[in-house]
């Protein structure tokens, strides 16, 4: 039969679906129903208590503190991370090794230990003083006054964050093609200007791991509850220490953590789209090649 | 006699144990086009990168328009300049790469403006006019708002040439500017380079395009294993080379 002959265009139909598909759906539905049954009928979940505390002032204050802490830690940690990443690529080996050692130490020890350590820094240095090493002291302050739970939390989480961000930023910088450095240099750009060309390109690869890091950091802030800072988790703990409604209050805290991490993931996808500029062809590419080359052809 | 625009004296370069450039003496007179040919790995790219200090030479001197590049004379010694000052010297030396190396996050226009804006802190409006003029000159004024990934290889390379020209360099270095292009796109790039040569730009072109070398070059150098084996007028070097090595290379090419 010739391709141009035949009974005209045949309509399309989707391929038959496997019958197992329906079995899987049935099993999943059953499991979901069983879970809902347990969760809703077991009175120990204390849903009325959850409802009572979900928007209570004490919980919302805790949430606010958790958000503030996350924001401060993320900003300080990112700046620290960029500095450390640049230090690691330095041709000065002393600088590069220093940054390496920093990252090695802070990534290699549990964050919980770092939090408790900074909170107890007064045990190590009762007075924190400014002065010349081995020389005279210029100013001093009582460590217990300086290192409040808040400063200990910011210090511990930021220093740790810097180490992780350094690796993320370094990965991004290394991912940029050598030719980009050379093209910027060849134009006569000084090192700082070259960095200005490279960083926006690195940002594209830096964003996804940074967003993951942000989610991790947001959840890691719960560790500061051990030093008595009134974050989201600690606020919930304070309430259930009084009314013994442990599970309902953990549900309240988990609800807020889950809601915020979901929002962060959403913003991550928005950001990624924004920074893909010049990498993904635009939705309406204005004829890039082919016939539109008339100008060039005329010359050639 | 007028001093040459580019003078290289005794250039040596090693990468670890590999001796890539073994004492290159070379000069290019003002307003002339010199083509550098030779087999792969002979050190052509490395030589170009020594000229603008992207890979500073281990020994020897590079002079561009009477200025020593990458070094400072101190009595009877030379001392390497800090990177900042080498960067300043590179402004007068344009370079075009085999793989274009346009900045992917900037449009064609922003690429061409990037040098004057970031290096010279030039006025934005005036730089835009300059850049549009240059894009027009390479036949791409209509493509000004396109990102590099929306342009063909030939168009990208022409933008790259415009970007280098925006710094108003005294010399232009081309490292195999057409080797990464589909054959049908080579012509448009060579034509831009021809115009540039006709306007009196001093150029060094590493190329495998023997036709271009024959038509446009004032001078051809044949390099092999880190030395210049033979140089002279293209008619001589390309059609009737003295050395056996050059004869063999041209027969193969
Ligand atoms: N950064 C580097 N590190 C180590 N070796 C290098 C480096 N750059 C170049 N080389 C070596 O130096 C030699 C000359 O390289 P170069 O790129 O200058 O050759 P070329 O003449 O440009 O060759 P091609 O025609 O393939 O571009 C090669 O053996 C190459 O492996
Ligand atoms: Mg090369």
């Amino acid at each position: 039969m010739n391709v141009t002959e035949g009974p005209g265009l045949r309509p399309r139909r989707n391929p038959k679906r496997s019958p197992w598909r329906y079995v899987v759906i049935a099993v999943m539905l059953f499991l979901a129903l069983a879970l809902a049954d347990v969760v809703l009928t077991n009175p120990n979940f204390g849903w009325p208590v959850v409802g009572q505390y979900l928007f209570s002032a004490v919980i919302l204050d805790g949430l606010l503190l958790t958000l503030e802490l996350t924001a401060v830690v993320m900003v300080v940690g990112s700046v620290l991370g960029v500095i450390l990443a640049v230090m690691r690529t330095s041709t000065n080996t002393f600088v590069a090794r220093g940054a390496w050692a920093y990252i090695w130490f802070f990534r290699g020890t549990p964050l919980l230990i770092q939090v408790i350590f900074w909170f107890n820094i007064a045990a190590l240095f009762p007075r924190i003083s400014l002065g010349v090493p081995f020389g005279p002291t210029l100013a001093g302050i009582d460590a217990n006054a300086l290192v409040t739970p808040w400063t200990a939390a910011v210090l511990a989480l930021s220093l740790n964050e810097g180490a992780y961000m350094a690796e993320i930023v370094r990965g991004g910088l290394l991912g940029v093609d050598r030719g980009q450095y050379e093209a910027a240099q060849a134009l006569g750009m000084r090192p700082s200007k070259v960095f200005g060309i490279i960083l926006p390109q690195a940002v594209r690869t830096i964003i996804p791991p940074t967003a993951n890091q942000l989610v991790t950091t947001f959840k890691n802030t719960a560790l500061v509850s051990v030093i008595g800072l009134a974050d989201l988790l600690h606020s919930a703990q304070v309430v259930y220490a009084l009314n013994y409604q442990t599970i309902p209050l953990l549900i309240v805290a988990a609800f807020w953590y889950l809601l915020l991490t979901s929002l962060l993931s959403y913003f991550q996808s928005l950001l990624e789209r924004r920074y893909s500029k010049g990498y993904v062809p635009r939705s309406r590419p204005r004829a890039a090649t082919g016939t539109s080359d008339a100008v060039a052809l005329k010359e050639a | 006699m007028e001093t040459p625009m580019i003078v290289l004296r005794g250039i040596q370069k090693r990468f670890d144990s590999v001796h890539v450039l073994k004492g290159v003496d070379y000069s290019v007179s003002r307003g002339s086009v010199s083509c550098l040919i030779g087999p792969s790995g002979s050190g052509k790219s490395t030589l170009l990168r020594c000229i603008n200090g992207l890979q500073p030479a281990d020994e020897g001197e590079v002079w561009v328009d009477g200025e020593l590049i990458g070094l400072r004379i101190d009595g009877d010694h030379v001392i390497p300049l800090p990177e900042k000052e080498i960067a300043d010297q590179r402004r007068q030396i344009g370079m075009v790469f085999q793989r274009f190396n346009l900045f992917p996050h900037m449009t064609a226009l922003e690429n061409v403006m990037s040098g004057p804006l970031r290096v010279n802190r030039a006025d934005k409006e005036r730089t835009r006019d300059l850049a549009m003029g240059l894009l027009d000159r390479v036949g791409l004024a209509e493509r000004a708002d396109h990102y590099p990934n929306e342009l063909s290889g030939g168009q990208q390379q022409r933008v790259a040439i415009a970007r280098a020209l925006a710094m108003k360099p005294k010399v232009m270095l081309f490292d195999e500017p057409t080797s990464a292009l589909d054959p049908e796109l080579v012509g448009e790039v060579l034509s831009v380079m021809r115009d540039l040569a006709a306007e009196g730009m001093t150029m060094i072109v590493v190329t495998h395009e023997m036709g271009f070398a024959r038509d446009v070059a004032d001078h051809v150098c044949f390099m092999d294993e880190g030395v210049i084996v033979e140089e002279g007028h293209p008619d001589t070097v390309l059609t009737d080379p003295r050395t056996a090595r050059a004869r063999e290379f041209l027969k193969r090419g």
Side-chain angles (χ1 to χ4, degrees):
Chain A
M1 191 172 73
N2 192 304
V3 282
T4 55
E5 292 167 1
L9 265 185
R10 282 163 282 254
R12 248 162 216 269
R13 201 191 58 207
N14 287 330
K16 262 214 187 75
R17 292 204 167 119
S18 153
W20 284 104
R21 197 181 128 83
Y22 300 104
V23 177
V24 171
I25 290 176
V27 170
M28 302 277 284
L29 263 177
F30 175 78
L31 289 178
L33 279 173
L35 187 66
D37 179 41
V38 169
V39 167
L40 293 175
T41 55
N42 182 342
N44 293 338
F45 274 97
W47 292 109
V49 184
V50 172
Q52 184 191 339
Y53 281 101
L54 200 53
F55 297 98
S56 66
V58 59
I59 293 296
L60 292 184
D61 284 349
L63 176 63
L64 194 64
L65 188 132
T66 288
L67 288 174
E68 280 170 9
L69 189 59
T70 307
V72 171
V73 165
M74 216 50 212
V75 170
V76 178
S78 299
V79 171
L80 208 57
V82 172
I83 294 171
L84 285 165
V86 172
M87 281 171 68
R88 275 210 68 178
T89 54
S90 169
T91 45
N92 182 335
T93 45
F94 189 76
V95 171
R97 294 273 169 82
W100 178 86
Y102 179 99
I103 294 164
W104 167 74
F105 182 82
F106 282 95
R107 297 211 325 168
T109 51
L111 181 53
L112 186 54
I113 292 184
Q114 293 173 32
V115 171
I116 301 174
F117 173 85
W118 288 108
F119 186 58
N120 290 289
I121 191 75
L124 202 53
F125 306 104
R127 280 187 74 74
I128 294 170
S129 46
L130 212 63
V132 187
F134 304 109
T137 305
L138 303 176
I141 184 166
D142 193 13
N144 270 322
L146 188 69
V147 185
T148 60
W150 170 260
T151 41
V154 169
L155 214 54
L157 293 174
S158 300
L159 293 178
N160 186 266
E161 185 74 17
Y164 281 92
M165 284 307 296
E167 288 298 274
I168 291 174
V169 173
R170 192 173 78 102
L173 294 178
L174 289 179
V176 178
D177 183 47
R178 282 279 344 143
Q180 293 292 312
Y181 289 87
E182 292 181 347
Q185 283 177 311
L187 285 171
M189 293 189 192
R190 290 179 167 200
S192 60
K193 302 281 177 178
V194 174
F195 189 66
I197 292 284
I198 300 304
L199 191 61
Q201 300 187 45
V203 162
R204 199 173 57 93
T205 43
I206 287 173
I207 282 178
T210 302
N212 289 339
Q213 186 60 29
L214 177 57
V215 169
T216 306
T217 303
F218 175 65
K219 292 183 297 180
N220 277 349
T221 56
L223 289 175
V224 305
S225 60
V226 302
I227 58 171
L229 189 62
D231 74 322
L232 179 55
L233 178 58
H234 192 257
S235 303
Q237 287 174 327
V238 167
V239 176
Y240 72 64
L242 294 176
N243 66 7
Y244 303 107
Q245 300 284 346
T246 308
I247 297 294
L249 278 143
L250 287 180
I251 291 175
V252 167
F255 168 84
W256 285 112
Y257 283 115
L258 196 57
L259 182 73
L260 267 294
T261 50
S262 307
L263 275 178
L264 289 176
S265 303
Y266 173 69
F267 285 121
Q268 173 184 4
S269 63
L270 288 189
L271 260 183
E272 276 173 31
R273 217 170 309 154
R274 199 190 118 126
Y275 274 94
S276 62
K277 189 176 70 175
Y279 293 90
V280 182
R282 285 179 287 197
S283 47
R284 207 161 32 86
R286 283 167 284 174
T289 47
T291 53
S292 56
D293 247 355
V295 196
L297 291 176
K298 204 167 55 194
E299 279 184 344
Chain B
M1 204 188 87
E2 198 184 23
T3 57
M5 181 63 109
I6 301 171
V7 179
L8 308 190
R9 291 173 49 200
I11 299 294
Q12 302 220 24
K13 181 73 184 176
R14 288 172 183 277
F15 290 112
D16 300 323
S17 58
V18 197
H19 205 170
V20 176
L21 297 176
K22 303 170 183 165
V24 176
D25 295 296
Y26 181 38
S27 69
V28 181
S29 53
R30 230 163 263 275
S32 73
V33 177
S34 179
C35 280
L36 209 51
I37 62 173
S40 177
S42 55
K44 308 178 298 291
S45 300
T46 308
L47 188 65
L48 278 199
R49 298 146 76 81
C50 283
I51 296 176
N52 68 357
L54 277 184
Q55 263 162 359
D58 301 331
E59 297 288 335
E61 293 171 4
V62 176
W63 296 79
V64 174
D65 199 20
E67 188 181 351
L68 185 58
I69 302 296
L71 298 170
R72 177 166 64 84
I73 298 172
D74 182 50
D76 46 4
H77 287 84
V78 286
I79 303 172
L81 285 174
E83 172 61 24
K84 267 187 193 175
E85 289 175 41
I86 304 180
D88 292 347
Q89 291 181 326
R90 287 195 195 107
R91 288 180 294 191
Q92 52 187 333
I93 307 169
M95 187 162 192
V96 174
F97 301 86
Q98 182 175 351
R99 302 223 43 95
F100 330 134
N101 297 350
L102 290 180
F103 304 135
H105 57 307
M106 298 182 190
T107 62
L109 183 65
E110 288 165 349
N111 264 282
V112 180
M113 291 170 69
S114 65
L117 284 188
R118 284 158 194 259
V119 178
N120 298 339
R121 295 168 173 275
D123 173 68
K124 189 146 188 194
E125 279 315 304
R126 212 169 306 155
T127 305
R128 180 181 298 274
D129 293 344
L130 168 80
M132 279 309 295
L134 286 167
L135 283 176
D136 191 41
R137 209 166 121 190
V138 299
L140 288 170
E142 287 161 39
R143 295 280 176 281
D145 293 328
H146 286 236
Y147 285 96
N149 73 343
E150 298 167 336
L151 298 171
S152 72
Q155 293 172 330
Q156 288 188 55
Q157 192 61 297
R158 287 184 281 152
V159 173
I161 293 172
R163 177 176 69 177
L165 290 176
M167 294 301 291
K168 302 201 169 76
K170 290 175 179 165
V171 305
M172 285 284 280
L173 312 175
F174 295 84
D175 192 358
E176 304 198 27
T178 57
S179 297
L181 297 177
D182 292 338
E184 70 270 22
L185 301 177
V186 169
E188 62 191 62
V189 172
L190 291 183
S191 123
V192 166
M193 291 168 61
R194 254 191 201 100
D195 292 348
L196 202 56
E199 287 162 28
M201 176 63 79
T202 309
M203 296 162 48
I204 300 182
V205 185
V206 175
T207 189
H208 294 300
E209 297 289 332
M210 294 308 158
F212 177 83
R214 195 161 297 150
D215 294 351
V216 182
D218 303 293
H219 186 88
V220 171
C221 274
F222 171 68
M223 261 185 93
D224 195 13
E225 293 178 2
V227 288
I228 291 178
V229 176
E230 180 162 353
E231 61 180 312
H233 194 273
D235 289 346
T236 325
V237 178
L238 296 179
T239 45
D240 186 22
R242 283 177 293 110
T243 58
R245 276 201 272 180
R247 260 200 303 276
E248 201 192 329
F249 172 76
L250 288 165
K251 214 165 24 180
R252 265 185 292 142

